[in-house]
Amino acid sequence: MSAFEPKIIAMVCNWCTYTAADLAGTSRLMYPHNVRIIRLMCTGMLDAKYVLKAFLEGADGVFIGGCHPGDCHYINGNLKAARRIPGIAAILEQFGFSSERLELKWIGASEGPEFQEHITRFVETIRALGPSQAATAMIL
Amino acid sequence: MIYEKPRIGVYICHCGSNISPKVDVEAVARFAAGLDNVAVSRDYKFMCSNPGQDFIVNDIKQMGLNRVVVASCSPRMHEPTFRKACEKAGISPHYFQMANIREQTSWVTADSAHATQKAKDQVAAAAARVAGHAALTSREVAVQKSILVIGAGIAGIQASLTAAEAGYDVHLVEREPSIGGHMAKFDKTFPTLDCAACIMTPKMVEAAQKENIHLHTWSEVVSVEGFVGNYKVRVRKKPRYVDMEKCTGCGVCQQKCPVKVPSEFDEGLAFRKAVYSPFPQAVPNTPVIDKDHCIYFQKGKCRACEKFCEAAAIDFNQADEFIDIVVGAVIAATGFKAFDPSPLTAYGYGIFPEVYTSLEFERLNNATGPTAGKILMKNGQPPRKVAIVHCVGSRDRHYRKYCSRVCCMYSMKFAHLVREKTGAEVWEFYIDMRSPGKLYEEFYNRVQEEGVHLVRGRVAQITDITDHPEDAGCLTVVAENTLARRVLRVPVDMVILSVGLEPAAGSDAVSRMLGIQRDADGWYNELHAKLAPVKTAASGIFLAGCCQGPKDIPDTVAQASAAAGEAVSLLSRGTVRTLAEISYIDPDRCSGCRICVDMCPYSAISFDDGAGVAVVNDALCQGCGSCAAACPSSAAGIRHFNDGQIMAELEALT
């Protein structure tokens, strides 16, 4: 077993994925301890600098969870996030990060099991990628 | 404002045994005591209890705390509780932050050491964040004392009557030509066997006569904009091609119309005309012309209805009419549709003429139905043996996993009515008999005593292949009797499929318009399953009836009254508070690029040409943060979710 325990930041929408995480809790669905959740009101308020800051501070992966297309509490904030993510991923690639370290998923309020599944899989993906080089290689 | 150095109180909740012992709460409390700005750190069995809240209040007063962190359950549960405690002690409710160490940690983490570490991180993030919190203000805005109700089945009618009785203007919108919904199609209602029409039609008439209920039938809501207290609603009134002012409801047009169309109201078991009123007690009693089937609209001639109408009410030139209304609250009562059993080919629906859905049987059994209430087969003879198949589409992982709640009871009602009206032998095939409700179990006992064969087992197949020559022409129901552990093959004349309930067609579009969430099955989500069953996450939008999940009539009526009560309670003060957690744009930083103006989904940002900066309208802003994320000069931000607060969390968590 590898000794590497990835640090994962999940920035999730209050109305859907945050609620799904609560549901995973009330349903006692176990998932890896590595994830730390930050509540946003909408993925549409996800600023690129939050993602970059997370990596600069030493996160190994950043997970974004929003409402399914069409279900946004604020009409279309999730679609704005969906358009912003590839741009952020491109910046990460330029700095030598694998864009796999940033993931956006749609998880509805009733999808506790999906939250567990996506988080578990994401943690395994990051574990396989190994530690982020931010701490060692990135010079800013 | 004078800058005060933050003095934070941190409180770690055991939540009985839900957080402790998985999380070592004492260790977390000790850890918190060493964090920046933390003046006091405690742990307690139940922070949400009165003594728990008193800790916070007393510490604020006695120790001069000006920030509070509680590490316990989800903020969706108790954030309002602790914010109130802060307010009670005299500090801003926004000087509070919650760390969710139950739902996100103790309940989902296998290892105790990991859970404790995660809880420490969460508390550190909350303490770092709360130090940067600001005391927010909001203002009171006047509300419109009127309510929009979408859907005029029993739920919508009941909600409208309740709200109208309280003196509110109600706009009741129904897409069908008449109000009444599914209940108007039923004959008897369980468990009392009241005649559905006898209890329904007086309510329909009352809804039409109430001065402050504005009926919009044959109409659909096309857009809802605005916010709690002030929703701007646009209703599309479809052309009836019959002038409602002139029509006397005499019915001559329907007699003279030469076109026959399968009646939707009679589930296709009878015909209506191209100009029609769906049923005799329709409210309003003005017919509509079905453009798709009308000969005049299709081929350019006929106009028989127009020729014979003495009131000269036919008007082929009518067009869509748009009505704009402003309401303070909205009640969604969009109801359900019956499951279509066609995909379950083993049951032969649509193949064998004597296989009916429950709604078809309701019409077959109804005094205003195609057989005038006589239970007859297509050949005109009464059936000698009838099978009733429960859970068609429900409790089936290939279709709908949930129990539709009403089918067991209406199936037993059918069994009773078949026994009473025809004396036929009745075989009911059920998975589990569910009769929870006042007088429901008693009704089940009554049906058992009436000699109905109750077989516990799911039906495998319905076939026209019979085992004995004397059963020729019968259908054979194949099922396992799981109590007797043998397979039964029962020849019957008629089969009723007790189909489950699904969200109404179009309810997804309505949910998007209202900005409310649906669950995995498509039912509308209530704000809280137990504590807020008729509210939604969108303030000012309430739920009534089956749109929230399958319900019988008593529950629907109770919930509709509750929804109206909630709406009235919201509007009766005359004002609502605007959101505090909304956008602001720093005029000193704004470069006037106007990107935010285009990003805002609520058109809440306008551009001040004089000052050359963008300005937020605090009554329209909902706090989504689209502007904040897009602003290239970081001039736009969301109060309570601003860059500094999120960065503080990020730093503490990584």
Side-chain angles (χ1 to χ4, degrees), chain B residues 241-265:
Chain B
Y241 304 111
V242 180
D243 188 328
M244 290 189 79
E245 300 295 319
K246 292 181 185 165
C247 174
T248 61
C250 69
V252 170
C253 53
Q254 304 184 48
Q255 285 165 18
K256 299 296 178 187
C257 175
V259 186
K260 278 187 172 181
V261 186
S263 159
E264 295 85 358
F265 189 80

PDB file of all heavy atoms in Angstrom, chain B residues 241-265:
ATOM      1  N   TYR B 241     -61.468  29.346 -29.338  1.00  0.00           N
ATOM      2  CA  TYR B 241     -62.307  29.562 -30.528  1.00  0.00           C
ATOM      3  C   TYR B 241     -63.779  29.620 -30.162  1.00  0.00           C
ATOM      4  O   TYR B 241     -64.657  29.494 -31.021  1.00  0.00           O
ATOM      5  CB  TYR B 241     -62.039  28.497 -31.619  1.00  0.00           C
ATOM      6  CG  TYR B 241     -60.578  28.461 -32.009  1.00  0.00           C
ATOM      7  CD1 TYR B 241     -59.779  27.369 -31.692  1.00  0.00           C
ATOM      8  CD2 TYR B 241     -59.993  29.534 -32.672  1.00  0.00           C
ATOM      9  CE1 TYR B 241     -58.431  27.341 -32.001  1.00  0.00           C
ATOM     10  CE2 TYR B 241     -58.644  29.527 -32.993  1.00  0.00           C
ATOM     11  CZ  TYR B 241     -57.873  28.434 -32.653  1.00  0.00           C
ATOM     12  OH  TYR B 241     -56.545  28.417 -32.970  1.00  0.00           O
ATOM     13  N   VAL B 242     -64.047  29.738 -28.851  1.00  0.00           N
ATOM     14  CA  VAL B 242     -65.416  29.943 -28.376  1.00  0.00           C
ATOM     15  C   VAL B 242     -65.348  31.119 -27.403  1.00  0.00           C
ATOM     16  O   VAL B 242     -64.526  31.106 -26.497  1.00  0.00           O
ATOM     17  CB  VAL B 242     -65.964  28.691 -27.660  1.00  0.00           C
ATOM     18  CG1 VAL B 242     -67.383  28.947 -27.172  1.00  0.00           C
ATOM     19  CG2 VAL B 242     -65.919  27.467 -28.574  1.00  0.00           C
ATOM     20  N   ASP B 243     -66.180  32.109 -27.618  1.00  0.00           N
ATOM     21  CA  ASP B 243     -66.159  33.306 -26.787  1.00  0.00           C
ATOM     22  C   ASP B 243     -66.783  32.990 -25.421  1.00  0.00           C
ATOM     23  O   ASP B 243     -67.974  32.664 -25.333  1.00  0.00           O
ATOM     24  CB  ASP B 243     -66.940  34.412 -27.505  1.00  0.00           C
ATOM     25  CG  ASP B 243     -66.798  35.752 -26.794  1.00  0.00           C
ATOM     26  OD1 ASP B 243     -66.659  35.745 -25.558  1.00  0.00           O
ATOM     27  OD2 ASP B 243     -66.811  36.786 -27.494  1.00  0.00           O
ATOM     28  N   MET B 244     -65.966  33.085 -24.369  1.00  0.00           N
ATOM     29  CA  MET B 244     -66.450  32.699 -23.046  1.00  0.00           C
ATOM     30  C   MET B 244     -67.550  33.625 -22.547  1.00  0.00           C
ATOM     31  O   MET B 244     -68.404  33.225 -21.766  1.00  0.00           O
ATOM     32  CB  MET B 244     -65.297  32.700 -22.040  1.00  0.00           C
ATOM     33  CG  MET B 244     -64.319  31.583 -22.292  1.00  0.00           C
ATOM     34  SD  MET B 244     -63.110  31.411 -20.975  1.00  0.00           S
ATOM     35  CE  MET B 244     -64.037  30.550 -19.742  1.00  0.00           C
ATOM     36  N   GLU B 245     -67.546  34.885 -23.020  1.00  0.00           N
ATOM     37  CA  GLU B 245     -68.567  35.833 -22.580  1.00  0.00           C
ATOM     38  C   GLU B 245     -69.922  35.496 -23.201  1.00  0.00           C
ATOM     39  O   GLU B 245     -70.956  35.632 -22.561  1.00  0.00           O
ATOM     40  CB  GLU B 245     -68.172  37.267 -22.992  1.00  0.00           C
ATOM     41  CG  GLU B 245     -66.854  37.746 -22.418  1.00  0.00           C
ATOM     42  CD  GLU B 245     -66.904  37.856 -20.907  1.00  0.00           C
ATOM     43  OE1 GLU B 245     -67.926  38.323 -20.386  1.00  0.00           O
ATOM     44  OE2 GLU B 245     -65.916  37.445 -20.254  1.00  0.00           O
ATOM     45  N   LYS B 246     -69.887  35.059 -24.461  1.00  0.00           N
ATOM     46  CA  LYS B 246     -71.149  34.834 -25.169  1.00  0.00           C
ATOM     47  C   LYS B 246     -71.713  33.430 -24.956  1.00  0.00           C
ATOM     48  O   LYS B 246     -72.922  33.233 -24.958  1.00  0.00           O
ATOM     49  CB  LYS B 246     -70.946  35.061 -26.680  1.00  0.00           C
ATOM     50  CG  LYS B 246     -70.673  36.513 -27.047  1.00  0.00           C
ATOM     51  CD  LYS B 246     -70.524  36.627 -28.554  1.00  0.00           C
ATOM     52  CE  LYS B 246     -70.125  38.050 -28.960  1.00  0.00           C
ATOM     53  NZ  LYS B 246     -69.646  38.067 -30.352  1.00  0.00           N
ATOM     54  N   CYS B 247     -70.857  32.431 -24.802  1.00  0.00           N
ATOM     55  CA  CYS B 247     -71.293  31.028 -24.746  1.00  0.00           C
ATOM     56  C   CYS B 247     -72.214  30.803 -23.548  1.00  0.00           C
ATOM     57  O   CYS B 247     -71.939  31.252 -22.434  1.00  0.00           O
ATOM     58  CB  CYS B 247     -70.082  30.110 -24.646  1.00  0.00           C
ATOM     59  SG  CYS B 247     -70.522  28.376 -24.404  1.00  0.00           S
ATOM     60  N   THR B 248     -73.296  30.093 -23.801  1.00  0.00           N
ATOM     61  CA  THR B 248     -74.240  29.792 -22.720  1.00  0.00           C
ATOM     62  C   THR B 248     -74.053  28.364 -22.221  1.00  0.00           C
ATOM     63  O   THR B 248     -74.736  27.929 -21.300  1.00  0.00           O
ATOM     64  CB  THR B 248     -75.687  29.949 -23.211  1.00  0.00           C
ATOM     65  OG1 THR B 248     -75.889  29.024 -24.289  1.00  0.00           O
ATOM     66  CG2 THR B 248     -75.963  31.364 -23.677  1.00  0.00           C
ATOM     67  N   GLY B 249     -73.169  27.615 -22.860  1.00  0.00           N
ATOM     68  CA  GLY B 249     -72.940  26.225 -22.449  1.00  0.00           C
ATOM     69  C   GLY B 249     -74.090  25.310 -22.805  1.00  0.00           C
ATOM     70  O   GLY B 249     -74.301  24.284 -22.146  1.00  0.00           O
ATOM     71  N   CYS B 250     -74.832  25.651 -23.883  1.00  0.00           N
ATOM     72  CA  CYS B 250     -76.024  24.857 -24.223  1.00  0.00           C
ATOM     73  C   CYS B 250     -75.658  23.504 -24.819  1.00  0.00           C
ATOM     74  O   CYS B 250     -76.425  22.553 -24.741  1.00  0.00           O
ATOM     75  CB  CYS B 250     -76.922  25.624 -25.193  1.00  0.00           C
ATOM     76  SG  CYS B 250     -76.206  25.809 -26.842  1.00  0.00           S
ATOM     77  N   GLY B 251     -74.487  23.402 -25.433  1.00  0.00           N
ATOM     78  CA  GLY B 251     -74.030  22.107 -25.940  1.00  0.00           C
ATOM     79  C   GLY B 251     -74.445  21.791 -27.359  1.00  0.00           C
ATOM     80  O   GLY B 251     -74.126  20.715 -27.870  1.00  0.00           O
ATOM     81  N   VAL B 252     -75.139  22.710 -28.041  1.00  0.00           N
ATOM     82  CA  VAL B 252     -75.603  22.436 -29.413  1.00  0.00           C
ATOM     83  C   VAL B 252     -74.413  22.227 -30.351  1.00  0.00           C
ATOM     84  O   VAL B 252     -74.423  21.335 -31.200  1.00  0.00           O
ATOM     85  CB  VAL B 252     -76.507  23.579 -29.923  1.00  0.00           C
ATOM     86  CG1 VAL B 252     -76.780  23.432 -31.419  1.00  0.00           C
ATOM     87  CG2 VAL B 252     -77.819  23.575 -29.152  1.00  0.00           C
ATOM     88  N   CYS B 253     -73.356  23.023 -30.179  1.00  0.00           N
ATOM     89  CA  CYS B 253     -72.188  22.889 -31.064  1.00  0.00           C
ATOM     90  C   CYS B 253     -71.632  21.470 -30.998  1.00  0.00           C
ATOM     91  O   CYS B 253     -71.252  20.888 -32.010  1.00  0.00           O
ATOM     92  CB  CYS B 253     -71.121  23.907 -30.687  1.00  0.00           C
ATOM     93  SG  CYS B 253     -70.641  23.871 -28.947  1.00  0.00           S
ATOM     94  N   GLN B 254     -71.654  20.904 -29.777  1.00  0.00           N
ATOM     95  CA  GLN B 254     -71.088  19.565 -29.609  1.00  0.00           C
ATOM     96  C   GLN B 254     -71.981  18.517 -30.271  1.00  0.00           C
ATOM     97  O   GLN B 254     -71.501  17.512 -30.777  1.00  0.00           O
ATOM     98  CB  GLN B 254     -70.905  19.244 -28.119  1.00  0.00           C
ATOM     99  CG  GLN B 254     -70.051  20.292 -27.424  1.00  0.00           C
ATOM    100  CD  GLN B 254     -69.775  19.951 -25.966  1.00  0.00           C
ATOM    101  OE1 GLN B 254     -69.401  18.848 -25.630  1.00  0.00           O
ATOM    102  NE2 GLN B 254     -69.967  20.934 -25.106  1.00  0.00           N
ATOM    103  N   GLN B 255     -73.294  18.781 -30.279  1.00  0.00           N
ATOM    104  CA  GLN B 255     -74.195  17.842 -30.962  1.00  0.00           C
ATOM    105  C   GLN B 255     -74.006  17.910 -32.474  1.00  0.00           C
ATOM    106  O   GLN B 255     -74.029  16.905 -33.164  1.00  0.00           O
ATOM    107  CB  GLN B 255     -75.657  18.186 -30.658  1.00  0.00           C
ATOM    108  CG  GLN B 255     -76.096  17.787 -29.259  1.00  0.00           C
ATOM    109  CD  GLN B 255     -77.414  18.475 -28.883  1.00  0.00           C
ATOM    110  OE1 GLN B 255     -78.160  18.967 -29.749  1.00  0.00           O
ATOM    111  NE2 GLN B 255     -77.685  18.533 -27.589  1.00  0.00           N
ATOM    112  N   LYS B 256     -73.790  19.113 -32.990  1.00  0.00           N
ATOM    113  CA  LYS B 256     -73.755  19.289 -34.440  1.00  0.00           C
ATOM    114  C   LYS B 256     -72.395  18.962 -35.051  1.00  0.00           C
ATOM    115  O   LYS B 256     -72.301  18.699 -36.244  1.00  0.00           O
ATOM    116  CB  LYS B 256     -74.124  20.742 -34.801  1.00  0.00           C
ATOM    117  CG  LYS B 256     -75.514  21.143 -34.355  1.00  0.00           C
ATOM    118  CD  LYS B 256     -76.586  20.321 -35.071  1.00  0.00           C
ATOM    119  CE  LYS B 256     -77.997  20.694 -34.579  1.00  0.00           C
ATOM    120  NZ  LYS B 256     -79.030  19.797 -35.147  1.00  0.00           N
ATOM    121  N   CYS B 257     -71.349  19.001 -34.275  1.00  0.00           N
ATOM    122  CA  CYS B 257     -70.009  18.750 -34.820  1.00  0.00           C
ATOM    123  C   CYS B 257     -69.933  17.333 -35.368  1.00  0.00           C
ATOM    124  O   CYS B 257     -70.287  16.373 -34.693  1.00  0.00           O
ATOM    125  CB  CYS B 257     -68.959  18.940 -33.724  1.00  0.00           C
ATOM    126  SG  CYS B 257     -67.297  18.525 -34.279  1.00  0.00           S
ATOM    127  N   PRO B 258     -69.476  17.182 -36.615  1.00  0.00           N
ATOM    128  CA  PRO B 258     -69.473  15.854 -37.238  1.00  0.00           C
ATOM    129  C   PRO B 258     -68.240  15.005 -36.900  1.00  0.00           C
ATOM    130  O   PRO B 258     -68.187  13.845 -37.291  1.00  0.00           O
ATOM    131  CB  PRO B 258     -69.509  16.184 -38.730  1.00  0.00           C
ATOM    132  CG  PRO B 258     -68.828  17.515 -38.833  1.00  0.00           C
ATOM    133  CD  PRO B 258     -69.085  18.244 -37.556  1.00  0.00           C
ATOM    134  N   VAL B 259     -67.267  15.568 -36.188  1.00  0.00           N
ATOM    135  CA  VAL B 259     -65.999  14.838 -35.998  1.00  0.00           C
ATOM    136  C   VAL B 259     -65.994  14.108 -34.664  1.00  0.00           C
ATOM    137  O   VAL B 259     -66.368  14.669 -33.637  1.00  0.00           O
ATOM    138  CB  VAL B 259     -64.795  15.812 -36.025  1.00  0.00           C
ATOM    139  CG1 VAL B 259     -63.485  15.040 -35.980  1.00  0.00           C
ATOM    140  CG2 VAL B 259     -64.867  16.701 -37.228  1.00  0.00           C
ATOM    141  N   LYS B 260     -65.554  12.840 -34.694  1.00  0.00           N
ATOM    142  CA  LYS B 260     -65.427  12.082 -33.452  1.00  0.00           C
ATOM    143  C   LYS B 260     -63.957  11.832 -33.155  1.00  0.00           C
ATOM    144  O   LYS B 260     -63.211  11.393 -34.020  1.00  0.00           O
ATOM    145  CB  LYS B 260     -66.138  10.729 -33.590  1.00  0.00           C
ATOM    146  CG  LYS B 260     -67.623  10.811 -33.355  1.00  0.00           C
ATOM    147  CD  LYS B 260     -68.202   9.400 -33.335  1.00  0.00           C
ATOM    148  CE  LYS B 260     -69.653   9.408 -32.907  1.00  0.00           C
ATOM    149  NZ  LYS B 260     -70.174   8.034 -32.873  1.00  0.00           N
ATOM    150  N   VAL B 261     -63.575  12.125 -31.932  1.00  0.00           N
ATOM    151  CA  VAL B 261     -62.181  11.962 -31.503  1.00  0.00           C
ATOM    152  C   VAL B 261     -62.207  11.167 -30.190  1.00  0.00           C
ATOM    153  O   VAL B 261     -63.077  11.421 -29.360  1.00  0.00           O
ATOM    154  CB  VAL B 261     -61.531  13.349 -31.232  1.00  0.00           C
ATOM    155  CG1 VAL B 261     -60.052  13.205 -30.927  1.00  0.00           C
ATOM    156  CG2 VAL B 261     -61.768  14.301 -32.393  1.00  0.00           C
ATOM    157  N   PRO B 262     -61.276  10.212 -29.992  1.00  0.00           N
ATOM    158  CA  PRO B 262     -61.254   9.502 -28.711  1.00  0.00           C
ATOM    159  C   PRO B 262     -61.115  10.497 -27.548  1.00  0.00           C
ATOM    160  O   PRO B 262     -60.281  11.395 -27.592  1.00  0.00           O
ATOM    161  CB  PRO B 262     -60.017   8.607 -28.807  1.00  0.00           C
ATOM    162  CG  PRO B 262     -59.780   8.437 -30.267  1.00  0.00           C
ATOM    163  CD  PRO B 262     -60.236   9.721 -30.902  1.00  0.00           C
ATOM    164  N   SER B 263     -61.958  10.331 -26.541  1.00  0.00           N
ATOM    165  CA  SER B 263     -61.993  11.297 -25.441  1.00  0.00           C
ATOM    166  C   SER B 263     -60.835  11.084 -24.482  1.00  0.00           C
ATOM    167  O   SER B 263     -60.652   9.982 -23.956  1.00  0.00           O
ATOM    168  CB  SER B 263     -63.319  11.152 -24.695  1.00  0.00           C
ATOM    169  OG  SER B 263     -63.203  11.681 -23.394  1.00  0.00           O
ATOM    170  N   GLU B 264     -60.057  12.134 -24.247  1.00  0.00           N
ATOM    171  CA  GLU B 264     -58.961  12.050 -23.269  1.00  0.00           C
ATOM    172  C   GLU B 264     -59.535  11.831 -21.871  1.00  0.00           C
ATOM    173  O   GLU B 264     -58.995  11.078 -21.084  1.00  0.00           O
ATOM    174  CB  GLU B 264     -58.133  13.348 -23.258  1.00  0.00           C
ATOM    175  CG  GLU B 264     -57.380  13.651 -24.540  1.00  0.00           C
ATOM    176  CD  GLU B 264     -58.229  14.386 -25.567  1.00  0.00           C
ATOM    177  OE1 GLU B 264     -59.438  14.626 -25.299  1.00  0.00           O
ATOM    178  OE2 GLU B 264     -57.698  14.714 -26.650  1.00  0.00           O
ATOM    179  N   PHE B 265     -60.661  12.504 -21.613  1.00  0.00           N
ATOM    180  CA  PHE B 265     -61.234  12.408 -20.278  1.00  0.00           C
ATOM    181  C   PHE B 265     -61.714  10.982 -19.998  1.00  0.00           C
ATOM    182  O   PHE B 265     -61.584  10.478 -18.889  1.00  0.00           O
ATOM    183  CB  PHE B 265     -62.402  13.395 -20.132  1.00  0.00           C
ATOM    184  CG  PHE B 265     -62.894  13.516 -18.723  1.00  0.00           C
ATOM    185  CD1 PHE B 265     -62.217  14.298 -17.812  1.00  0.00           C
ATOM    186  CD2 PHE B 265     -64.018  12.814 -18.301  1.00  0.00           C
ATOM    187  CE1 PHE B 265     -62.654  14.392 -16.493  1.00  0.00           C
ATOM    188  CE2 PHE B 265     -64.454  12.905 -16.991  1.00  0.00           C
ATOM    189  CZ  PHE B 265     -63.774  13.695 -16.090  1.00  0.00           C
TER     190      PHE B 265
END
